[in-house]
Amino acid sequence: MPQKQYDEFQQAAIEAPTPALIVAGPGSGKTSTLIGRAEYLIDTLGIPPENILALTFSRKAAEEMQERLGRVLDVHTVLPTVSTFHAFCAELLRTYGSLVGLRQDFAFVDDAEGYFLLLRQATELPLRHYQNLNTPTYYFPALLSGISRAKDELVTPAEYKRLALCMLERTSNEEEIQKAERALEIADIYALYQAALERQGDTDFGGLIMLAVQLLQEHPEVRRELHQKYLHILVDEFQDINRASGVLLRELAGDARRVWVVGDANQAIYGFRGASPANIANFRDDYPDAVVLPLSRNYRSRPDIVKFADVFRREHLEYLEPDSVQGTVQTARTTVEDAYVTLAVAPDEASELNGLISDMRRKRAGGYHFRDIVVLCRTRAQARKITQGLVDADLPVIERGGLLEQEHIKNLLSIIMLLAEPSGMGILRAARQSDHLFTQSDIEALLQAAREQRVSPMTLILRDEAPLTMSIDGGRSLRRLSMILKALHLAQNVWSLLADYLFIETSLVRELLASDEDTQAQAVLDDYAGLLQLARYYDQQQQALRFQKEQEDFARGEDGVPIGLPTIQEQTRGFLDYLSVLLTLRHDGGKRQEEGSDEETPDVIRVMTVHASKGLEFPVVYLPGIVKQRFPMQRRGNPVEPPTGMLPAESEGDAAHETDEACLFYVGATRARDHLVLSYAERYGKKNYKRSAYVDALVAGLPEERITSVAWQDNQAGGRAGLVPARSPSPTRPFSSAWFEPVSSQPSERFVEAMKPRTLTISALETYQRCPRQYMYSTIYGFHGEDAAYRLFWKATQDTLEALTHTLEASKGVGDGDAQSPTQEETRALYTHYWTELGGHTVPFAALYERHGHEVTELIRRRLLASGDISWQLRQSFTVDIAGRTIEVSVDRVETPAQDGEPVKFVRTRFGKRKEKPTATARELLYARASRQHHPGRNIELLFHNMSTGESFQIKLTEKKEQGLYNELEQAILGLENNEFPPKPDVFVCPSCPFFLICPA
Ligand code: SF4
């Protein structure tokens, strides 16, 4: 093999004395340089390959490094050890794990299993600040990520608690007290979680490195052995280092400190397991005499792209680089005459999408393959929308998003939903599978008949009772679906259920295999395999849990009767819960996100998030949506903030967020080899946007003639891509389009009229305002998720409150109030009575609800006793006329004082701790209108009463605010009357929406 030529930067880096930090720019050949370094060590310095350890962070990078080392060092029989940090630690702990408390065959607990581990400890978890009554597991993903973050910083539960207590000692106001209390709560949860892991003798991802560090620090003999074995350590992608892996590296290197690392601080994206530019800077603290050298020649991108990225880096990121060592980046590629950096502006989102499509077609006509093209998006929601637009335009596309967000996977899961959930929401997607196709009017006939007969839609399906209003084809499909579901009822587990459905009961896989020319068919097959893998994993986990439970029972001296298999309904419900955990944790990617671009890749356009593009490169890169608030995105609060002192100051807060966003943009722009197209629209939805400041670097960095500035007007693609309603799969359309289309589910006017409630209520309008599509699913279709436990809690609290109110009112009547007042014990007993009567003691998190029920009712008892001669009317109904319509509003509580001069209070009550102060909403508007209509001339106050904390806030409604709320309500009423149910997707809200798996948004 010919000797590879290195440039002067690379050569200097290869021969650098250690410790050495090589600061690499994008496309500067850092992995090649690392390979060159290994060659230099072996061939020039005579270091045996087995004495070299090369570490990196992703499995893909490790595989690539291994393969390249194998090629250049083919004369050597032994190769250096190449591994990821985590795999290296796992290997080490397989040998020495017992020294740090691991069992011999310890298991690796991933985040999803960590979630179930927390769930199993539900009764012990001290949830107060992190208590969500609607969804008690709501904060679990955030708690797990807080624990993982602590491990990235080598912070144990005890240390976490110490930091939290220090915070509490130094508090000077309520906000700081709350913060410290939250940190203390996490410390206690962390301790419980860690104790459970230790009892099992297992470890989680963060624990791998933490335990390896502990092993090396506590066992000098192991450390010595490793020092003798690994004389030189090389690290690639050093920007992804976190504190824990930095300390591990120091322990591995020992006093010899023969460490050579290469990375690009500008590509350090926070959130990648604690990666932060601050950690690169730590290298200088750990090794003050380290040599710092740049790799400053870009071999990837054409000169204008390099220049733009460099100007951006200097403006937004240069302070991240140690000693600003990189200087001006040089370019290795020659330029071409035509401009290849494009800045496009469109009036709105649809025009931007159409512009993208036209430009892609031009690039294709100009000789590029589809696989050369990538669209990089800031969020998954944006990626989904763009994918949809490309599908509608019949362009071949694969969205490199999560497996569970794919339309065909959601369609497949519909069969599981039908079995798991009787309200029948799975039918909307099951209707699209070619083996049991239903038209929209067939679906409506089924749902309407179920409502009229007061049975669940699933009952009708299983009984094969097609309503008379269903079409003949629909009736046939119903029979087919009924037979399939009955057969699937016999499945032993989720994997066999899915496999039966895919391979035996339907022709889904057969159809895909028949379209072997179609690259997207292969993608769908891969995704089906991915889902089967998840099902297999879930089944195995459940089996292991049952076995563990049997062992525990046996150890406790119980008779050890084998635990039977749960019913298939229970298993499918559990599987859907598991998938929703993966979605919330954003761990549903499977293999999807690791694939890159090469000759073997199918000839399809890729759409992915910028995060997922790290380490990849493409000839043509589109970066759409570059406007303020979207890129950079606004910072969202972190529910689990680390305790003060856990992280370096520069890794927290607004400045860290801004750096992270700038790093992301830099990563995105530097993926481009030949063409970079930045675009933005002046309006997204109904909101106007301004161009992002990131674009300014483009304008400042390149002469005008080197930028193609274009205005993308509407209809460039010859259609309204992305806005057309979805079509049904049709044999005349290309396979690719039909399979990737979303479900429309727009109900007919007749159906809406038949199903919609006869009265207009504020609760319905609130749901509509939150998300019109959610209103459609819940109120028009009548689908519902599981929120049974919270409803029981709410009902038990209401019943107790009513009983207390009656007792006190009665006691006033006999003029011996105090003597008749219920005591704290009586109130507790009353709550427990209602709670048990409703069956609350049997639900998950029963202890949490009952404990909180006691707290809430005691607060209410005290408030009632203190209310004197004020009379309380609970859930009083009013009607309010707004915009010519009558709306029903049930006021949570009206407090009427005996004296006329005192204000009547209209009180809105809610449960749960909230950080933000309450503000006026549509409900307050209606309360205000109701109070004026029904208590004319009386002095009125609007109050918000948090029953969980006992706090009350007066709500002020200015004339301007009232008008604004009125306008919004009027809009919502109009939308409802026009049967408009557009989705209102929100990247943080949708994954926990009960309709996520049926919603195409
Ligand atoms: S998934 Fe999102 S867009 Fe769809 S109904 Fe739920 S909240 Fe609305």
Side-chain angles (χ1 to χ4, degrees):
M1 178 180 286
Q3 199 71 22
K4 180 167 169 34
Q5 296 299 308
Y6 295 103
D7 68 29
E8 69 277 21
F9 298 110
Q10 294 169 331
Q11 197 59 45
I14 285 169
E15 295 174 10
T18 49
L21 166 62
I22 313 303
V23 179
S28 58
K30 55 182 160 45
T31 307
S32 307
T33 309
L34 183 141
I35 305 289
R37 170 76 181 179
E39 263 188 297
Y40 171 77
L41 290 175
I42 296 164
D43 295 342
T44 309
L45 301 188
I47 308 293
E50 61 270 30
N51 290 143
I52 298 172
L53 171 64
L55 294 170
T56 186
F57 290 88
S58 71
R59 208 177 51 216
K60 187 167 177 285
E63 282 165 6
E64 190 192 331
M65 207 197 292
Q66 176 105 45
E67 196 246 324
R68 287 170 73 170
L69 272 172
R71 257 188 283 141
V72 297
L73 302 174
D74 58 359
V75 291
H76 300 272
T77 47
V78 184
L79 289 179
T81 303
V82 178
S83 182
T84 64
F85 271 88
H86 288 92
F88 177 78
C89 292
E91 200 52 43
L92 190 64
L93 293 169
R94 287 273 166 234
T95 314
Y96 300 107
S98 59
L99 297 176
V100 284
L102 291 179
R103 61 188 162 91
Q104 190 63 38
D105 56 343
F106 72 86
F108 167 63
V109 171
D110 65 17
D111 281 355
E113 288 158 54
Y115 178 97
F116 289 110
L117 195 136
L118 280 183
L119 198 58
R120 287 201 292 279
Q121 294 174 293
T123 46
E124 294 166 60
L125 292 179
L127 297 175
R128 295 211 168 259
H129 290 276
Y130 294 99
Q131 168 179 286
N132 182 305
L133 294 165
N134 246 318
T135 317
T137 53
Y138 178 82
Y139 288 110
F140 279 21
L143 292 170
L144 286 168
S145 103
I147 292 171
S148 168
R149 206 56 204 85
K151 293 189 173 189
D152 292 338
E153 299 297 319
L154 296 176
V155 170
T156 60
E159 175 63 4
Y160 205 107
K161 185 141 192 166
R162 190 191 65 76
L163 291 170
L165 285 170
C166 282
M167 278 174 85
L168 195 62
E169 266 171 32
R170 292 192 201 123
T171 51
S172 61
N173 57 42
E174 185 52 34
E175 198 187 327
E176 287 174 4
I177 293 173
Q178 296 279 322
K179 243 179 164 175
E181 283 182 352
R182 278 200 295 275
L184 271 175
E185 192 169 317
I186 296 163
D188 291 341
I189 295 167
Y190 181 14
L192 278 169
Y193 168 88
Q194 190 58 29
L197 268 186
E198 284 169 14
R199 269 198 307 278
Q200 290 178 199
D202 293 331
T203 181
D204 55 13
F205 204 70
L208 280 175
I209 295 187
M210 201 165 167
L211 284 172
V213 168
Q214 187 189 335
L215 174 72
L216 294 186
Q217 289 179 341
E218 291 175 359
H219 295 275
E221 71 287 3
V222 179
R223 207 168 55 227
R224 251 192 320 274
E225 191 185 314
L226 292 174
H227 291 164
Q228 281 161 8
K229 183 165 183 194
Y230 299 119
L231 301 179
H232 283 265
I233 304 173
L234 313 176
V235 181
D236 196 6
E237 306 284 352
F238 190 68
Q239 72 275 359
D240 291 339
I241 194 111
N242 61 30
R243 190 66 201 142
S245 31
V247 173
L248 177 80
L249 188 61
R250 212 173 54 202
E251 294 297 334
L252 284 172
D255 294 338
R257 305 182 318 139
R258 284 187 285 263
V259 179
W260 186 99
V261 305
V262 58
D264 181 355
N266 304 315
Q267 295 194 48
I269 301 174
Y270 288 106
F272 183 83
R273 300 234 165 235
S276 136
N279 292 322
I280 289 206
N282 281 342
F283 189 82
R284 297 300 300 271
D285 297 337
D286 289 346
Y287 308 97
D289 56 340
V291 174
V292 181
L293 293 171
L295 292 184
S296 295
R297 187 162 298 131
N298 184 315
Y299 291 86
R300 176 186 298 155
S301 310
R302 282 177 171 166
D304 290 349
I305 299 171
V306 174
K307 200 165 174 199
F308 159 55
D310 207 36
V311 171
F312 181 84
R313 177 181 67 84
R314 285 160 169 271
E315 213 167 277
H316 294 269
L317 296 166
E318 194 165 46
Y319 68 97
L320 297 176
E321 289 172 15
D323 309 335
S324 297
V325 71
Q326 205 174 339
T328 302
V329 174
Q330 301 172 15
T331 171
R333 291 186 63 184
T334 47
T335 196
V336 293
E337 203 176 309
D338 294 337
Y340 40 82
V341 175
T342 302
L343 176 61
V345 53
D348 53 34
E349 198 170 6
S351 309
E352 185 185 20
L353 190 48
N354 287 332
L356 281 176
I357 291 164
S358 304
D359 203 68
M360 284 173 186
R361 288 190 171 133
R362 268 195 296 278
K363 297 275 187 301
R364 169 82 165 148
Y368 284 102
H369 296 284
F370 284 128
R371 67 167 161 269
D372 295 332
I373 298 175
V374 69
V375 186
L376 300 182
C377 302
R378 177 62 191 85
T379 63
R380 281 191 179 187
Q382 185 193 12
R384 274 202 302 281
K385 235 177 186 178
I386 289 177
T387 305
Q388 195 45 55
L390 303 189
V391 167
D392 282 343
D394 286 340
L395 286 173
V397 59
I398 291 182
E399 183 202 337
R400 284 282 167 252
L403 178 73
L404 302 176
E405 291 173 353
Q406 306 306 310
E407 286 295 309
H408 48 278
I409 289 296
K410 286 180 170 185
N411 289 347
L412 175 56
L413 284 171
S414 65
I415 208 75
I416 300 239
M417 293 174 80
L418 279 176
L419 288 164
E421 185 282 316
S423 80
M425 65 172 100
I427 193 68
L428 289 189
R429 283 183 176 272
R432 292 173 53 81
Q433 304 285 40
S434 54
D435 284 77
H436 36 75
L437 282 171
F438 291 90
T439 61
Q440 177 64 26
S441 83
D442 289 333
I443 296 174
E444 293 176 359
L446 180 77
L447 296 178
Q448 214 173 326
R451 187 176 285 190
E452 282 160 13
Q453 296 174 37
R454 295 174 188 277
V455 293
S456 71
M458 192 55 189
T459 307
L460 289 189
I461 298 173
L462 286 176
R463 285 193 207 142
D464 183 19
E465 274 182 25
L468 291 174
T469 42
M470 192 176 257
S471 69
I472 294 175
D473 283 347
R476 249 184 244 124
S477 286
L478 189 78
R479 187 159 317 124
R480 184 83 199 97
L481 182 60
S482 179
M483 282 164 57
I484 291 174
L485 287 170
K486 280 179 196 149
L488 296 181
H489 261 279
L490 304 175
Q492 286 292 300
N493 53 37
V494 182
W495 182 87
S496 60
L497 184 154
L498 277 173
D500 281 357
Y501 182 74
L502 283 170
F503 298 105
I504 299 170
E505 298 295 338
T506 66
S507 53
L508 279 173
V509 170
R510 282 194 296 279
E511 273 176 31
L512 288 162
L513 291 172
S515 5
D516 57 353
E517 291 299 303
D518 198 316
T519 49
Q520 289 199 336
Q522 190 52 50
V524 176
L525 281 170
D526 288 349
D527 284 345
Y528 284 169
L531 189 68
L532 280 169
Q533 227 172 10
L534 282 180
R536 165 78 81 208
Y537 182 69
Y538 171 79
D539 291 334
Q540 284 169 346
Q541 289 300 105
Q542 294 305 302
Q543 200 179 351
L545 278 179
R546 284 193 294 278
F547 180 70
Q548 190 184 332
K549 173 102 184 28
E550 279 169 19
Q551 301 275 306
E552 284 169 7
D553 289 350
F554 185 72
R556 276 200 301 271
E558 291 168 18
D559 57 5
V561 178
I563 300 171
L565 262 184
T567 64
I568 198 69
Q569 280 89 349
E570 286 166 332
Q571 292 191 56
T572 47
R573 237 171 268 147
F575 184 57
L576 288 178
D577 281 350
Y578 171 66
L579 297 186
S580 82
V581 171
L582 295 184
L583 273 166
T584 334
L585 294 169
R586 301 182 171 271
H587 281 195
D588 59 322
K591 289 194 296 169
R592 292 185 134 256
Q593 288 164 355
E594 296 206 355
E595 292 166 18
S597 155
D598 52 44
E599 295 284 300
E600 289 158 28
T601 317
D603 192 23
V604 293
I605 297 165
R606 250 73 55 83
V607 180
M608 61 177 81
T609 60
V610 185
H611 275 101
S613 75
K614 206 161 166 262
L616 305 176
E617 57 181 64
F618 298 88
V620 183
V621 169
Y622 291 88
L623 270 168
I626 312 296
V627 289
K628 285 181 178 162
Q629 295 181 2
R630 290 185 157 217
F631 209 162
M633 230 167 86
Q634 272 179 313
R635 182 170 173 234
R636 293 243 180 180
N638 176 6
V640 176
E641 283 180 42
T644 311
M646 188 177 102
L647 300 181
E650 61 273 28
S651 297
E652 292 187 274
D654 289 344
H657 172 76
E658 278 167 28
T659 305
D660 203 22
E661 290 292 302
C663 282
L664 259 185
F665 182 77
Y666 183 75
V667 166
T670 54
R671 300 307 91 201
R673 290 213 294 254
D674 299 350
H675 288 273
L676 175 65
V677 182
L678 303 181
S679 67
Y680 63 96
E682 290 163 326
R683 198 170 57 254
Y684 289 91
K686 289 180 180 163
K687 219 169 140 193
N688 292 334
Y689 283 84
K690 290 211 164 71
R691 176 174 104 173
S692 165
Y694 290 172
V695 177
D696 298 345
L698 176 70
V699 179
L702 293 178
E704 219 174 293
E705 65 278 9
R706 297 302 305 161
I707 306 172
T708 307
S709 294
V710 287
W712 282 343
Q713 296 304 329
D714 201 2
N715 269 328
Q716 288 198 11
R720 305 259 313 156
L723 296 183
V724 288
R727 295 154 288 193
S728 298
S730 142
T732 58
R733 300 195 62 219
F735 163 83
S736 51
S737 299
W739 276 76
F740 288 83
E741 273 179 1
V743 177
S744 154
S745 315
Q746 176 65 28
S748 68
E749 280 185 28
R750 190 197 52 75
F751 182 69
V752 178
E753 283 313 311
M755 304 297 266
K756 80 175 178 195
R758 297 298 127 214
T759 48
L760 196 53
T761 65
I762 180 61
S763 312
L765 281 165
E766 280 174 336
T767 309
Y768 187 87
Q769 283 185 319
R770 236 183 354 258
C771 173
R773 183 65 64 106
Q774 203 175 55
Y775 170 90
M776 178 187 89
Y777 290 136
S778 59
T779 309
I780 305 298
Y781 281 111
F783 302 143
H784 51 79
E786 287 278 318
D787 63 344
Y790 177 70
R791 268 191 279 130
L792 296 186
F793 161 80
W794 184 89
K795 180 85 175 65
T797 312
Q798 289 301 325
D799 289 350
T800 312
L801 178 54
E802 271 167 32
L804 287 177
T805 319
H806 286 145
T807 310
L808 279 170
E809 282 298 318
S811 74
K812 283 178 196 166
V814 295
D816 187 14
D818 281 350
Q820 303 292 322
S821 304
T823 63
Q824 181 171 359
E825 288 67 36
E826 284 165 346
T827 308
R828 274 178 76 89
L830 197 60
Y831 183 84
T832 300
H833 163 76
Y834 285 123
W835 176 242
T836 316
E837 195 176 64
L838 290 163
H841 58 297
T842 61
V843 299
F845 289 93
L848 178 147
Y849 285 113
E850 191 172 3
R851 184 182 68 214
H852 195 54
H854 288 152
E855 287 165 356
V856 165
T857 46
E858 172 55 13
L859 285 171
I860 292 171
R861 184 188 73 90
R862 289 194 202 161
R863 196 172 177 117
L864 266 170
L865 289 179
S867 65
D869 57 1
I870 298 173
S871 105
W872 285 21
Q873 289 92 41
L874 304 178
R875 310 201 57 73
Q876 218 179 343
S877 286
F878 294 88
T879 53
V880 179
D881 294 330
I882 293 257
R885 281 69 155 195
T886 301
I887 303 173
E888 271 189 15
V889 56
S890 162
V891 178
D892 293 335
R893 188 166 82 227
V894 179
E895 294 181 11
T896 316
Q899 290 84 13
D900 264 358
E902 297 289 310
V904 176
K905 292 176 182 162
F906 274 54
V907 188
R908 175 182 192 174
T909 59
R910 284 291 175 272
F911 295 104
K913 282 184 183 271
R914 280 150 215 267
K915 264 186 174 173
E916 330 72 48
K917 284 229 161 94
T919 52
T921 63
R923 191 172 280 265
E924 272 73 26
L925 169 72
L926 292 192
Y927 277 19
R929 298 270 164 133
S931 63
R932 283 181 217 140
Q933 280 174 24
H934 297 275
H935 295 268
R938 187 99 197 237
N939 189 7
I940 304 287
E941 255 181 31
L942 297 179
L943 277 190
F944 177 96
H945 175 202
N946 186 329
M947 306 234 275
S948 290
T949 61
E951 294 166 297
S952 282
F953 302 90
Q954 195 175 346
I955 306 283
K956 291 276 178 219
L957 201 55
T958 60
E959 220 173 282
K960 191 169 164 216
K961 179 78 188 165
E962 192 167 336
Q963 189 56 48
L965 290 169
Y966 182 95
N967 294 345
E968 283 169 20
L969 207 53
E970 196 176 23
Q971 284 300 315
I973 294 170
L974 279 177
L976 266 180
E977 288 179 349
N978 293 332
N979 298 341
E980 288 166 5
F981 306 113
K984 206 166 159 184
D986 180 300
V987 66
F988 293 97
V989 174
C990 292
S992 54
C993 169
F995 309 115
F996 183 80
L997 286 176
I998 55 169
C999 180

